[in-house]
Amino acid sequence: MDSCSHKYYPEDGFDSREHLETYFTMNSERAFQDDVLKFPMETLQHVFSEGHIKGDLLIDISNGAFIHHLHTANRFFKQILVLKCAEKCIMELNRWINKRTGEFDWSHIFTYIKVTDGYSDQCEPSDTMLKNAIAEILKCDFNKENLTEPKVLPPADCVITVWLLELISKDKDDYKKYFRKFVKLLKPEGHLILVGTLNTTYMTIGQDKLHMLKYDESFIRNFLSNEGFIIDHWAIQKKTSLSNLCDYEALYVLIAHREN
């Protein structure tokens, strides 16, 4: 299957449960656990724990229905707003938050958190803390200037977007367009967190291959600089998985703020 026949997420969507079960369970390939779960969790835990990124509001704009990237953020922000473009993802998240029948089992990441982040003695379970921090899950439309029209969101202290820009962008012009919409949600002094993949062309979910925009580190660094952002932290992990389900070369976590 060549790239021109790959499906396009904004138009074709994907099965959010199959996405979770392929990449985010304990039954997933061990290398996916190290790359997709542990790497961003450990990196963001370190970044948030430094105490520089905090405030009243964090806005999360990510693909799928995963929540592991938010596990530390709930201790540094009073509330979290989650934006999703797909109803299936919203339903999946609400099933987890409300402990409904068939909710996705995230116990493996919360067990991992207790072992690694020094909060094993906390009275309230980590999953409950995170659920309480998520104030609302909102439907968004990437084609609109106000993503949550007609609702206007307050400016955020931090915007985090995970594995989304490369999934919704057909080309680099699209990437720049969507990026500019996302950062409109930030306070002038706010922080931006990007979690993404380098030199990726597709992601497989079930029988489908979805288009992913291919770009390298120099593109990101140059683009952010031109947009007036300073990169505060850059972490990268080369692909350890031998799977052909997704052809990423590396994963990265990037933290940036606007230059005054």
Side-chain angles (χ1 to χ4, degrees), residues 165 169 171-181 213 219 223 226-227:
L165 283 165
S169 304
D171 52 37
K172 290 178 179 177
D173 286 339
D174 265 0
Y175 186 102
K176 295 173 182 178
K177 175 183 68 177
Y178 291 127
F179 175 93
R180 290 167 182 149
K181 289 183 180 184
L213 176 66
F219 166 74
F223 174 59
N226 290 336
E227 293 294 305

Side-chain angles (χ1 to χ4, degrees), residues 187-212:
K187 291 180 178 179
E189 69 278 14
H191 285 84
L192 172 70
I193 301 177
L194 293 178
V195 181
T197 57
L198 298 178
N199 293 317
T200 315
T201 65
Y202 70 86
M203 173 178 66
T204 306
I205 301 176
Q207 299 300 311
D208 299 324
K209 282 189 175 181
L210 283 85
H211 160 85
M212 301 280 279

